[in-house]
Amino acid sequence: MTPDQVVATGSQIVLANTYHLALQPGSDVVKRLGGLHSFMNMPLPMLTDSGGFQVFSLPKTVNENGVTFKWEKSGTPFTMTPESSVAIQEELGADIIMAFDECVPYPCDRSYAEQALERTHRWERRCLEARTRDDQWLFGIVQGSAFEDLRQQSARELVSMDFPGYAIGGLSVGEGLEVMDRVLGWTAHLLPKHKPRYLMGVGLPEDLWCGVEHGIDMFDCVIPTRHARGGLLYTFQGRLRVTKARYRRDRLPLDTTCPCYTCQNFSRAYLNHLFAAEEVTGTTLACIHNITFLMRLMDMIRTSIREDRFVEAKADFFARYGTSYGPNKRNAVGLGHEEVTGARPGGGARPGGHRSNQNAKRPAGKRTGNKKSGSANKGGGRSGRGGRGGGRR
Amino acid sequence: MTPDQVVATGSQIVLANTYHLALQPGSDVVKRLGGLHSFMNMPLPMLTDSGGFQVFSLPKTVNENGVTFKWEKSGTPFTMTPESSVAIQEELGADIIMAFDECVPYPCDRSYAEQALERTHRWERRCLEARTRDDQWLFGIVQGSAFEDLRQQSARELVSMDFPGYAIGGLSVGEGLEVMDRVLGWTAHLLPKHKPRYLMGVGLPEDLWCGVEHGIDMFDCVIPTRHARGGLLYTFQGRLRVTKARYRRDRLPLDTTCPCYTCQNFSRAYLNHLFAAEEVTGTTLACIHNITFLMRLMDMIRTSIREDRFVEAKADFFARYGTSYGPNKRNAVGLGHEEVTGARPGGGARPGGHRSNQNAKRPAGKRTGNKKSGSANKGGGRSGRGGRGGGRR
């Protein structure tokens, strides 16, 4: 997607990745070219992740100083420290930069989670002290794995450090939706209402409702564009796998209500053809649509809050979209039906639609039949673990 | 590239391919969806090649009726005849459709060339008779390999059939620039001045001058976008291989005089980064630029004709761009220098720039060191032979 295509989706901020950019082209190059906005010609606000999430999926050694690993291409050893992460992010020049944290896998035993959390807090304090630019916001990242007291301790500790914004990290690493819901319940309300709250690496359309319900303001995730590249498109009537034979002659747009360039100009049949012919344009058009969908969904959620009908709007969304949680019991085991047909553009959830999700990164949790989730992971994040800014596109 | 990106390049017509579209999604599907313009949402005039060029690169049997081959994916045998080619092209619904011809390889012995040419003329007559739509122009295709009398016989025969436009086929199949120049010299002037003359599968920037000099009005070629996808960009100062390390920190656009989206918004350094990171956006931006360049070049050529200074304009172009022919002797053995630097945006041909072309499809002819030409072929046309509408993008 070109920057003008990204802007046209209605996106409000764009994430770039410290690890990837430090590797290629190098933060010095980005700085020389005027910083990320200028380098990418990106008029939207930008945020850089600290590299913590990516680095932790590489072979590495961790000590109090930082994390030592080898750069992917050259094999050159490098120690990423809170100070170097901040220095790189200052060179990159995003509007929001993230503290360097230690991500732990899920599940994680308590003693390691505790030790990593304390180190993360010391590292985050060092990030605050390492800053030399006052035109960037440094966000703190709450960790603590799936332990209630650790999460709460982390939130309180970081609030005392007075960051201009807070992220909740360590999720979307295989913990499942229920754990995520619980962690958000323990944590989010402890973060100041007047500062942005950012849920890292999340999420899918259904996750946005859950996040906002807990008070989250910002999200990032590679999965919606990964889905798009695989031909899995989001509509308010559920997911639509446009590569299916049933769409080969379908004149309708992906979503008859969608204002995006893709829906305004192309049929499902044309997208089906582009995917079958392996035309890159198909993936571009699909990404434009999925991102636009998420922005429209966030608009819908914001409007429902302003009009004091969030609960009804959420129920209404899930009744049509279907997901593993929400009121539509028929979809209780799946992550949404992929059974939208041209014949039923305004239709409700489809009775036959509660199969398990075929291509999502989302972890198994209680669900079964999720074998493909694992393999779908491989295409994206550095480790294939999660959605936190790991993808290239 | 999306249709709006294609339109923005200034292109006047878009080619689609009968063989590829008959295979996927099927001309019946395209017809059902309202024809190619509607299916692709393409506002520009369109042209379909007859499939002749693609079919002849497959294992096949040829007889008077047509060509029997197996479809690529399914292995289903199919006989493409002049009648079926026209029927498919009528379903596809382009503005200009092409006669079904027998393409012969180069070199080709005279008796086979003669036999194939006579059959081609009979087939082209059958195409004229097979038409049922009067809102499409059917162009005849001149063949005759590299034999002067056969080419002239072909041109005269087709002119007598009174097609609304004429193509010159059987070039860009490995015959080399000199042969092409000779064939055009024998043929083009025999075609009516008041009807479009179309040189199929050609060309590179340097080929356009040669073609126009012989009176050609229309061109198509997959190579400029194939070059773009490989990071080889055209500028009026010569070719620029943007993947080279020297562009890693180069703030300049590809071409400081170019109005395209790519040059207006991105540096060589950013493109270098996109290619290094294997970002698909890099190939999109590169294709936008190369196509825009060709349209600007055609504009320049048209203006020079109107102002009666074609010869001077051509000499001026080659002095800066460099190529294997034209007045710049320093580039006599290469197909253009790839040595543009940021330091010399307005500079002339570079003395060190006459190395052989590394990535072009262009045949060897007298040139040496062209080993890579063959492999570059593989990515595009069905057979890897040539540029005539064979590419997918």
Side-chain angles (χ1 to χ4, degrees):
Chain A
M1 288 177 71
T2 59
D4 61 350
Q5 289 170 332
V6 174
V7 169
T9 63
S11 299
Q12 295 184 1
I13 186 164
V14 170
L15 182 144
N17 197 282
T18 295
Y19 172 83
H20 294 313
L21 289 167
L23 186 62
Q24 165 62 47
S27 56
D28 57 324
V29 173
V30 176
K31 183 184 180 187
R32 194 186 131 86
L33 273 292
L36 273 178
H37 289 89
S38 165
F39 186 55
M40 297 176 61
N41 190 42
M42 176 52 70
L44 296 174
M46 293 195 71
L47 176 151
T48 43
D49 194 0
S50 60
F53 185 80
Q54 283 68 38
V55 164
F56 275 87
S57 63
L58 300 174
K60 63 187 181 294
T61 57
V62 186
N63 61 28
E64 185 60 24
N65 184 40
V67 186
T68 303
F69 60 94
K70 290 180 177 172
W71 289 116
E72 234 178 297
K73 291 183 184 176
S74 61
T76 314
F78 186 79
T79 300
M80 179 88 86
T81 63
E83 291 77 15
S84 64
S85 172
V86 166
I88 294 170
Q89 292 185 80
E90 290 195 339
E91 287 200 320
L92 294 174
D95 306 283
I96 297 173
I97 66 177
M98 302 302 298
F100 189 65
D101 55 344
E102 180 173 356
C103 296
V104 296
Y106 180 86
C108 172
D109 71 58
R110 185 175 167 99
S111 72
Y112 184 67
E114 222 172 307
Q115 186 194 341
L117 182 64
E118 280 162 20
R119 185 154 50 206
T120 288
H121 291 161
R122 290 191 294 275
W123 284 1
E124 301 206 35
R125 212 177 282 279
R126 282 165 56 189
C127 285
L128 274 173
E129 285 159 14
R131 298 179 60 208
T132 65
R133 285 178 66 157
D134 57 9
D135 59 345
Q136 296 177 302
W137 272 8
L138 172 67
F139 279 21
I141 306 180
V142 175
Q143 291 285 356
S145 189
F147 302 101
E148 182 171 4
D149 58 333
L150 297 187
R151 283 280 174 183
Q152 293 185 331
Q153 177 198 325
S154 182
R156 292 201 177 93
E157 180 100 9
L158 293 180
V159 169
S160 78
M161 294 190 217
D162 196 26
F163 286 94
Y166 293 92
I168 296 172
L171 293 174
S172 84
V173 292
E175 74 287 351
L177 191 56
E178 283 181 40
V179 173
M180 183 181 96
D181 193 44
R182 239 181 298 146
V183 168
L184 288 176
W186 299 331
T187 317
H189 68 280
L190 297 177
L191 303 173
K193 277 188 185 163
H194 63 290
K195 293 182 178 178
R197 295 163 177 161
Y198 165 27
L199 178 53
M200 303 188 82
V202 177
L204 293 169
E206 51 268 43
D207 298 337
L208 300 184
W209 290 95
C210 172
V212 171
E213 198 156 19
H214 287 291
I216 298 298
D217 305 298
M218 295 169 59
F219 300 87
D220 83 275
C221 191
V222 298
I223 301 173
T225 45
R226 190 187 299 159
H227 277 167
R229 293 197 300 275
L232 186 62
L233 284 308
Y234 306 152
T235 84
F236 285 102
Q237 276 71 50
R239 296 180 184 194
L240 183 155
R241 189 171 291 281
V242 80
T243 50
K244 284 188 176 176
R246 69 163 58 143
Y247 299 119
R248 197 164 157 252
R249 292 160 177 269
D250 191 332
R251 297 167 186 276
L252 290 174
L254 292 170
D255 181 340
T256 49
T257 67
C258 181
C260 82
Y261 177 71
T262 307
C263 288
Q264 290 298 309
N265 292 290
F266 305 98
S267 61
R268 295 167 182 175
Y270 188 57
L271 287 163
N272 177 280
H273 164 65
L274 291 177
F275 275 96
E278 294 175 20
E279 286 283 356
V280 173
T281 306
T283 63
T284 302
L285 295 176
C287 287
I288 287 172
H289 173 76
N290 270 6
I291 298 178
T292 303
F293 176 86
L294 292 172
M295 299 309 135
R296 293 174 70 210
L297 177 57
M298 285 307 291
D299 260 348
M300 175 188 283
I301 295 174
R302 278 189 291 266
T303 303
S304 79
I305 293 170
R306 275 195 300 271
E307 296 176 354
D308 201 20
R309 51 174 183 77
F310 176 89
V311 173
E312 295 85 341
K314 180 182 171 189
D316 186 51
F317 171 81
F318 283 117
R320 287 185 293 149
Y321 187 83
T323 186
S324 59
Y325 59 106
N328 187 350
K329 296 296 181 201
R330 289 181 303 189
N331 288 298
V333 293
L335 261 178
H337 42 118
E338 301 168 9
E339 304 291 331
V340 174
T341 65
R344 306 165 60 257
R350 191 186 151 100
H354 26 119
R355 69 174 84 169
S356 71
N357 167 45
Q358 293 192 346
N359 197 24
K361 171 259 141 213
R362 288 285 300 283
K366 291 198 295 190
R367 281 171 250 122
T368 55
N370 242 339
K371 274 187 184 167
K372 288 191 182 173
S373 292
S375 67
N377 282 351
K378 288 177 188 165
R382 195 53 33 190
S383 63
R385 287 189 316 183
R388 179 174 155 192
R392 283 258 171 87
R393 301 170 220 156
Chain B
M1 289 176 70
T2 59
D4 61 350
Q5 288 170 334
V6 175
V7 169
T9 62
S11 299
Q12 295 185 1
I13 186 163
V14 171
L15 181 145
N17 197 283
T18 294
Y19 172 83
H20 295 313
L21 288 167
L23 186 63
Q24 164 63 47
S27 56
D28 57 324
V29 172
V30 175
K31 183 185 179 185
R32 195 185 130 87
L33 273 293
L36 273 178
H37 289 89
S38 165
F39 186 56
M40 297 176 62
N41 190 42
M42 175 52 70
L44 297 173
M46 292 195 72
L47 175 151
T48 42
D49 194 359
S50 60
F53 185 80
Q54 282 68 38
V55 163
F56 275 88
S57 63
L58 300 173
K60 65 191 178 291
T61 57
V62 186
N63 61 28
E64 186 61 25
N65 184 40
V67 187
T68 303
F69 62 93
K70 290 180 178 174
W71 289 115
E72 233 178 299
K73 290 183 184 176
S74 62
T76 314
F78 185 80
T79 300
M80 181 89 85
T81 63
E83 291 77 16
S84 64
S85 173
V86 166
I88 294 169
Q89 292 185 81
E90 290 196 340
E91 287 201 319
L92 294 174
D95 306 284
I96 297 173
I97 66 177
M98 301 302 298
F100 189 65
D101 56 343
E102 181 173 355
C103 296
V104 297
Y106 180 86
C108 172
D109 71 60
R110 186 178 165 98
S111 73
Y112 185 67
E114 221 172 310
Q115 185 193 343
L117 181 64
E118 280 161 21
R119 186 153 49 205
T120 288
H121 292 161
R122 290 191 295 274
W123 285 0
E124 300 205 37
R125 213 176 281 278
R126 282 165 57 189
C127 285
L128 275 173
E129 285 159 14
R131 297 179 60 208
T132 65
R133 286 179 67 157
D134 56 9
D135 59 345
Q136 296 178 304
W137 272 9
L138 172 67
F139 278 22
I141 305 179
V142 174
Q143 291 286 356
S145 189
F147 302 101
E148 181 170 3
D149 58 333
L150 296 187
R151 284 279 172 185
Q152 294 185 332
Q153 177 197 328
S154 183
R156 293 201 177 95
E157 178 101 12
L158 292 179
V159 169
S160 78
M161 294 189 217
D162 196 26
F163 286 94
Y166 293 92
I168 297 171
L171 294 174
S172 85
V173 292
E175 76 285 352
L177 190 55
E178 283 181 41
V179 174
M180 184 180 94
D181 193 43
R182 238 180 300 147
V183 169
L184 287 177
W186 299 331
T187 317
H189 69 279
L190 297 177
L191 302 173
K193 276 189 184 163
H194 62 290
K195 293 182 177 180
R197 296 163 177 162
Y198 165 27
L199 178 53
M200 303 188 81
V202 177
L204 292 170
E206 50 269 43
D207 298 337
L208 300 183
W209 291 95
C210 173
V212 172
E213 197 155 20
H214 286 291
I216 299 297
D217 305 297
M218 297 168 60
F219 301 86
D220 82 276
C221 192
V222 298
I223 301 172
T225 46
R226 191 186 299 158
H227 278 167
R229 293 197 300 276
L232 185 62
L233 283 309
Y234 305 152
T235 84
F236 285 102
Q237 276 71 50
R239 297 180 183 194
L240 183 156
R241 190 170 292 282
V242 79
T243 50
K244 284 189 175 176
R246 69 163 58 140
Y247 300 119
R248 196 164 157 252
R249 294 159 177 270
D250 190 333
R251 298 166 185 275
L252 289 175
L254 292 171
D255 181 341
T256 49
T257 67
C258 180
C260 82
Y261 177 71
T262 306
C263 288
Q264 289 299 308
N265 291 291
F266 306 96
S267 60
R268 296 168 181 175
Y270 188 57
L271 287 162
N272 177 280
H273 164 64
L274 291 177
F275 275 96
E278 294 175 18
E279 286 284 357
V280 173
T281 306
T283 63
T284 302
L285 294 176
C287 287
I288 287 172
H289 173 77
N290 271 6
I291 297 179
T292 303
F293 175 86
L294 291 173
M295 300 309 135
R296 293 174 70 211
L297 177 56
M298 285 306 292
D299 259 349
M300 174 188 283
I301 295 175
R302 278 189 291 266
T303 303
S304 78
I305 292 171
R306 275 195 300 270
E307 296 176 355
D308 200 21
R309 51 172 184 79
F310 175 89
V311 173
E312 295 84 340
K314 179 182 171 189
D316 186 50
F317 171 81
F318 284 118
R320 286 185 292 150
Y321 187 84
T323 186
S324 58
Y325 59 106
N328 186 349
K329 297 295 181 201
R330 288 181 303 187
N331 288 298
V333 294
L335 261 176
H337 42 117
E338 301 168 9
E339 304 291 331
V340 174
T341 64
R344 307 167 56 257
R350 193 186 151 102
H354 26 119
R355 69 174 85 167
S356 71
N357 167 43
Q358 293 192 347
N359 198 25
K361 173 256 141 215
R362 288 288 300 284
K366 292 198 297 190
R367 283 170 246 122
T368 54
N370 242 340
K371 273 188 185 167
K372 287 190 182 174
S373 294
S375 67
N377 283 350
K378 288 178 188 164
R382 193 58 28 191
S383 64
R385 289 188 316 182
R388 177 175 155 190
R392 282 257 172 86
R393 301 167 220 156

